Structure formats: C-alpha cells, structure tokens
Amino acid sequence: MTRKICENCQRPISVCICEHFVSLSAPCEIVILQHPTEQKQALATVPILQACLTNLTVIVGEELNDNPAVQAIIDDPEGTLVIFPDEGADKWDLSEPYLCAGNDVLPRRLIVLDGTWRKAKLLWHKNPWLDDFKAVALQGLPSSEYMIRSSSIEGGVSTLEALMHTCNYLSASHKYTPLLKPFKAMIDWQIKKMGKEIFLAHYGKSDN
C-alpha cells in the first residue's frame, strides 16, 4: 500500500512535521543549487527551508549552465556571493554580526550548494559560472545537530543549519533559530523510528 504523503512537508502523514513549521523571510535572496540525489533523501533539510523561508529559490541539477534561472543570475550578478570554502574565499566569522565586521552593505543574493560534501564539490566544478562570484567560507559554526546523517568534512553541517546561522549572522539576531524546530522534530521522529539502540550503534551519540 502506498503511504500517504503530506503535500507541505513531503513526509509520510504519520511523521508529518508541519505543526513545527515557522514563517520567516530571509535577509537577502537565497538560491539553493541542489544536487539531484538530494531530492531522494527522506531526511533532506531543503524541503523544510522551502516551507519555512520566503525569498528562497531551489534549482535542481548537476550541470546548470543552460538553466534559465541560472542564466538570470548570470545576467544580474550584482551583490551575489556563493557560500563555499574555495581557496581564496572570504571568511565570515559568525561570532560577530556581519555589519560589525567591516561590511557596509548586506549581500543581495546568496548561492548555497546542497548535497554531500562530494556532491557539493561536484556542483562547484561542473558550474564554472560560479567562479564569477566571490566565495565565502563560514567560520565558527557550532557542531551540527544533524545526528542522523554524518558528514565527511570536519565541521560539516546541514544546509538548513548553515543557512540558519548565516541568516542570524546577516541580521545580527537570533530571528532564524526557530528553523531548528521542524529540523529537530524530523530528527526525533527518525530516532524514534529506528530505536535508540540502533541509533546509538550507528551514530554513537545519545539524544539526552
């Protein structure tokens, strides 16, 4: 029998997290370039961002050079930055508000790469138009609370966490921290589903 899926959170009705959603507007335009494999991940965080954050666009694909939405960005590049730790990237220390760190104007648009670290690097290299924009690397990120997916890069966090901390940094506030509510609800459901013993055996962490 096919499971009924919630149209809003894209999760089975039995584990719907819509009651935890919030409604927020990003401090600047956010464009997420999502690797196609992430669409198949039941525990992906981009659907939460789409439901909770306005001023956000998701573009799915691997080679996006001919994508019309990408071409619109290329044709209107002013104020666009890419969050990616490329060599030579500017460093954003998230412990100090953006406008207090020697910056005069908020970015107009942020591009974020969504996928595993390997897939994010693939997106970066297969889309040479990204080189036309200044890259920024996030510094001072707290440990990820994404306890049910591991990262192959030290200090790696989910797309939702990276954007939440970035939006707080740009707005000099904690306005975007409520994005963690549906994120944590999703994690709690998954831990409950797999059972604490299996969770600890696979991830070696306790949810206490």
Side-chain angles (χ1 to χ4, degrees), residues 59-79:
I59 303 173
V60 181
E62 192 168 289
E63 293 185 52
L64 297 164
N65 305 287
D66 298 323
N67 183 287
V70 165
Q71 191 59 53
I73 295 171
I74 294 172
D75 292 340
D76 184 24
E78 185 177 353

Side-chain angles (χ1 to χ4, degrees), residues 18-38:
C18 289
E19 65 177 297
H20 302 285
F21 282 168
V22 296
S23 180
L24 297 164
S25 178
C28 65
E29 180 186 351
I30 305 292
V31 177
I32 296 177
L33 306 184
Q34 185 179 57
H35 193 276
T37 57
E38 284 300 304

Side-chain angles (χ1 to χ4, degrees), residues 38 83-86 113-125 149-154 156-157:
E38 284 300 304
I83 297 179
F84 189 79
D86 186 44
L113 311 185
D114 178 61
T116 63
W117 176 234
R118 185 174 70 85
K119 295 295 175 61
K121 287 194 292 185
L122 192 64
L123 282 170
W124 176 263
H125 291 298
R149 285 186 74 177
S150 57
S151 173
S152 60
I153 180 173
E154 185 178 353
V157 298

Side-chain angles (χ1 to χ4, degrees), residues 65-195:
N65 305 287
D66 298 323
N67 183 287
V70 165
Q71 191 59 53
I73 295 171
I74 294 172
D75 292 340
D76 184 24
E78 185 177 353
T80 299
L81 301 174
V82 185
I83 297 179
F84 189 79
D86 186 44
E87 184 178 352
D90 286 347
K91 292 179 174 56
W92 281 2
D93 182 356
L94 302 187
S95 65
E96 183 179 12
Y98 178 81
L99 291 177
C100 295
N103 302 297
D104 297 324
V105 182
L106 288 174
R108 176 169 165 245
R109 179 189 293 124
L110 287 180
I111 298 175
V112 182
L113 311 185
D114 178 61
T116 63
W117 176 234
R118 185 174 70 85
K119 295 295 175 61
K121 287 194 292 185
L122 192 64
L123 282 170
W124 176 263
H125 291 298
K126 286 202 170 187
N127 292 279
W129 56 273
L130 289 171
D131 289 331
D132 294 337
F133 304 111
K134 188 66 179 179
V136 295
L138 305 181
Q139 305 287 307
L141 283 166
S143 299
S144 176
E145 297 188 51
Y146 207 1
M147 298 181 289
I148 49 178
R149 285 186 74 177
S150 57
S151 173
S152 60
I153 180 173
E154 185 178 353
V157 298
S158 67
T159 300
L160 181 145
E161 291 170 296
L163 272 176
M164 179 205 74
H165 290 300
T166 299
C167 288
N168 279 343
Y169 171 66
L170 293 175
S171 64
S173 73
H174 297 288
K175 176 181 176 181
Y176 298 90
T177 302
L179 287 169
L180 289 178
K181 291 171 59 180
F183 175 66
K184 289 181 176 179
M186 178 183 72
I187 293 170
D188 289 344
W189 269 117
Q190 186 63 20
I191 292 173
K192 182 178 179 181
K193 178 182 176 182
M194 71 173 66

